């Protein structure tokens, strides 16, 4: 608010200084030269120049306010002592306006109002000989400006407070949303880590024919990925963690993709027998770190799948530059039918496809039985916007920017325009009573004032050009035409009030409409006034005197436009700064919240599996454990447990995993599956997790082991639905399931062949 007023006052002071320097020169060269008036004019012109500089480049404060009041008293005293026809009321009013605005804005409470009254009183006293009514009428611009400043300050302050509160609420909501998005992303990333790194290590440990060195390497990479917390980074999948070590997962900066892929192809292609690998890489390919991480991670998964494809030859090819790339992994293995891959399979769909989609890329998998598999990864850099930022930036509308600066812009605009409209209405009525020829212009002004008020009510929305342009035409035509009905000398007093009556409308439109329209209207008005004054000057035979005497009338509309321009520029600048700061703050908040949420999620999930999987992998990595047969058996059991975890993340705790493991060891074929889709509500909400655990426990604990158990979670008409089937049927198992599901609407059937239960999962 202070910046807006300071810059507005600087523009106004610049206009005042130009007019009064011309006035001082005119007084100095006139035949009736009076040194005291010349000195007074130079004093105010010099002071206005200083205020313009301080307002634009330094700052304005109480010292400027007191100096303006003192200058006003001195100038009005000189005018009272030495009358001059060139010092028309419009010029004297500029002196008072500067003092009143500064006093109201920069002096506290009672002192500010008292100083403003002193400046107004000085002008009234100086013009008292012209008549009390004329003297009081002459202070209306300064009085209107002071009222506007006094009303505008609390309006802007209140709007600023509301904007601050709204921004804080928006930040809180954005932070909560960012944490929720990060939690969802972290769950998916941890699933990907389990599938890619841990699953690969367990498969390597459980396969016969895999060398001890390869088992140890896979186990080391899996342990490093789990314990580093670099969820989703390429380093969780790459050879020796190269990508993770250089910060590939932080999404900041750039990385060379070629070294990452070189290390991956040397360590990630295994199998018995080991296939031959051909690479075709450029010398260097630098891309954003997050893109390098995604490409390396997706390539690792594609290379790991080669192990099970029976391929003899693998070709890895990289093409592109920093603007885009294409990475191809092609093998001559047995191939498969992509359309027949289960939706719950995470390898191609998540570890390859979604990993690339997360960074704006795509993955194309082509394969058919007997003809190998080709995985193609593509990424293109987003086009930079006009500011050089990466990615699209939503264009900002003018109304959005103004709201960011002052909240509801109508309050501030009303504070600027309404005092002027009200005081001008009084002046118009008084002057029309003395000059009946202005009656038509009084009707014109009342209509114009009504239209301006209607525009103020709509200022929070877009004002159409179909409304604004006709109003500008009517306003300019009415203002210029007044010179055809008043005598030439009337341009020096308030009988020329229609010329300045358009100021509120111009001030309003130059703030909320394109600037060129208002400037064109102002130029047309000034040109029309100048032509008519030149045709019939107020002072015969004195061009300089005519110019000086006509300047206040001509500058009346220009003053409003200049103030509006400065206010507009200030509000747009401040609004843009608020939006930029808010945007940056949201990015920082989202990043920090995401980091905290992901780290917290990673630690929690790691605790859930740490008691079994991590110690086993550490033992394999150190080659410190039981014999190969026992290692493979343990790896198979943990791999089954891992698949359960992938489908029901966070549900199977240690005791429940042991229960499921014992059932499998006893010969029960346990199948757990769930739809893996981001749109599905997470299954690990507390109520759902509790119900899932209770159902599994009831189906397996303290009962004879069934031959087969199938537990599934899928979408249903009423939401995510849990179903459990055990074969053969068992009345005791049915009773146990019925007891667990007693508090929920469910379906339960039992027969000799199977026991089946279904229930909608609670929120």
């Amino acid at each position: 608010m202070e910046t807006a007023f300071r810059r507005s006052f600087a523009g106004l002071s610049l206009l005042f200084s130009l007019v009064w320097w011309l006035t001082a020169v005119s007084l100095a060269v006139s035949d009736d030269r009076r040194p005291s008036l010349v000195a007074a004019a130079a004093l105010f012109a010099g002071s206005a120049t200083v205020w313009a500089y301080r307002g634009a480049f330094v700052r304005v404060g109480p010292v400027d306010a007191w100096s303006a009041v003192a200058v006003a008293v001195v100038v009005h005293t000189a005018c009272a002592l030495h009358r001059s026809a060139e010092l028309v009321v419009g010029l004297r009013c500029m002196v008072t306006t500067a003092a009143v605005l500064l006093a109201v804005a920069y002096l506290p409470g009672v002192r500010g109002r008292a100083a403003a009254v002193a400046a107004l009183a000085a002008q009234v006293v100086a013009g008292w000989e012209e008549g009390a009514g004329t003297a009081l009428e002459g202070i209306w611009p300064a009085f209107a400006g002071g009222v506007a400043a006094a009303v505008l300050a609390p309006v802007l302050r209140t709007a600023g407070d509301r904007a601050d509160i709204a921004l804080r609420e928006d930040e809180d909501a954005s932070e909560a949303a960012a944490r929720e998005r990060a939690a969802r992303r972290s769950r998916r990333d941890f699933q990907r880590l389990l599938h890619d790194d841990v699953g690969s290590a367990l498969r390597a440990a459980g396969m016969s024919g895999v060398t001890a060195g390869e088992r140890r390497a896979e186990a080391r990479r899996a342990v490093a990925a789990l314990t580093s917390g670099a969820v989703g980074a390429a380093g969780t999948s790459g050879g020796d963690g190269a990508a993770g070590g250089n910060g590939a997962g932080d999404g900041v900066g750039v990385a060379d993709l070629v070294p990452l892929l070189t290390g991956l192809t040397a360590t990630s292609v295994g199998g018995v027998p080991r296939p031959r690998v051909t690479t075709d890489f450029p010398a260097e390919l630098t891309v954003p770190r997050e893109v390098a991480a995604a490409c390396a991670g997706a390539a690792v998964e594609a290379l790991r799948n080669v192990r099970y494809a029976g391929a003899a030859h693998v070709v890895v090819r990289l093409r592109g530059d920093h603007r885009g790339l294409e990475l191809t992994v092609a093998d001559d293995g047995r191939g498969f039918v992509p359309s027949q891959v289960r939706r719950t399979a995470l390898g191609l769909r998540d570890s390859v496809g979604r990993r690339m989609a997360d960074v704006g890329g795509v993955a194309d998998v082509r394969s058919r039985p007997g003809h190998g598999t080709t995985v193609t990864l593509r990424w293109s850099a987003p086009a930079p916007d006009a500011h050089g930022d990466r990615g699209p930036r939503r264009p900002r509308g003018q109304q959005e920017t103004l709201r960011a600066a002052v909240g509801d812009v109508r309050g501030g605009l009303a504070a600027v325009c309404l005092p002027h409209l009200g005081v001008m209405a009084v002046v118009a009525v008084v002057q029309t009573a003395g000059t009946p020829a202005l009656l038509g212009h009084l009707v014109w002004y009342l209509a114009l004032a009504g239209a301006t008020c209607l525009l103020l009510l709509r200022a929070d929305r877009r004002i159409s050009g179909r409304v604004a342009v006709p109003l500008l035409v009517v306003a300019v035509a009415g203002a210029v035409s007044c010179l055809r009905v008043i005598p030439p000398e009337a341009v020096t007093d308030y009988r020329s009030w229609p010329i300045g009556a358009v100021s509120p409308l111009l001030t309003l439109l130059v703030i909320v409409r394109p600037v060129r329209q208002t400037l064109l209207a102002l130029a047309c008005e000034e040109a029309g006034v100048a032509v008519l004054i030149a045709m019939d000057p107020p002072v015969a035979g004195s061009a300089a005197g005519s110019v000086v005497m006509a300047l206040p009338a001509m500058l009346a509309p220009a003053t409003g436009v200049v103030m509006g321009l400065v206010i507009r520029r200030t509000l747009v600048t401040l609004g843009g700064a608020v939006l930029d700061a808010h945007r940056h703050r949201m990015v920082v908040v989202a990043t920090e919240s995401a980091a905290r949420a992901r780290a917290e999620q990673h630690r929690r999930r790691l605790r859930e599996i740490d008691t079994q999987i991590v110690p086993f992998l550490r033992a394999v990595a150190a080659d410190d454990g039981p014999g190969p047969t026992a290692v493979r058996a343990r790896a198979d059991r943990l791999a089954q447990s891992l698949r359960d975890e992938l489908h029901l993340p966070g549900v199977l705790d240690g005791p429940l995993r042991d229960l499921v493991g014992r059932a499998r060891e006893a010969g029960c074929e346990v199948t757990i599956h769930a739809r893996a889709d981001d749109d599905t509500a997470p299954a690990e909400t507390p109520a759902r997790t509790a119900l899932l655990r209770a159902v599994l426990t009831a189906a397996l604990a303290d009962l004879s082991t069934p031959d087969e158990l199938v537990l599934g979670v899928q979408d249903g008409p009423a939401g995510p639905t849990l179903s459990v089937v055990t074969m053969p049927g068992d009345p005791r198992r049915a009773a146990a399931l019925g007891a667990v599901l007693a508090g929920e609407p469910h379906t339960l059937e039992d027969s000799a062949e199977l026991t089946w239960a279904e229930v909608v999962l609670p929120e």
Side-chain angles (χ1 to χ4, degrees), residues 536-548:
D536 197 2
V539 180
S542 175
S546 296
V547 169
V548 170

Side-chain angles (χ1 to χ4, degrees), residues 303-326:
L303 290 168
R304 281 173 171 163
N305 289 334
V306 171
R307 295 176 176 175
Y308 317 109
H313 186 205
V314 183
V315 178
V316 184
R317 181 179 293 108
L318 176 64
R319 292 286 185 271
D321 53 29
H322 66 282
R323 296 183 298 271
L325 63 86
E326 181 176 285

Side-chain angles (χ1 to χ4, degrees), residues 200 204 210-211 213-218 220-221 237-242 259-271 274 277 279 300 303-304 307:
S200 178
V210 178
T211 65
E214 187 175 346
R215 283 199 299 269
R216 288 195 298 271
E218 286 286 357
R220 282 196 297 269
R221 282 195 291 269
S237 300
D240 300 330
L260 301 182
L261 296 178
T262 302
L264 297 179
T265 55
T267 60
S268 297
V269 181
R274 181 181 294 273
V277 180
T279 60
V300 164
L303 290 168
R304 281 173 171 163
R307 295 176 176 175

Side-chain angles (χ1 to χ4, degrees), residues 8 53 77 145 151 153 160 190 210 248 298 332 370 408 544 551 567 615 631 684 693:
S8 300
Y53 175 81
T77 300
V151 175
F190 198 87
V210 178
D332 59 358
D408 190 345
L551 273 177
I567 292 174
V631 168
E684 66 268 32
R693 289 175 176 173

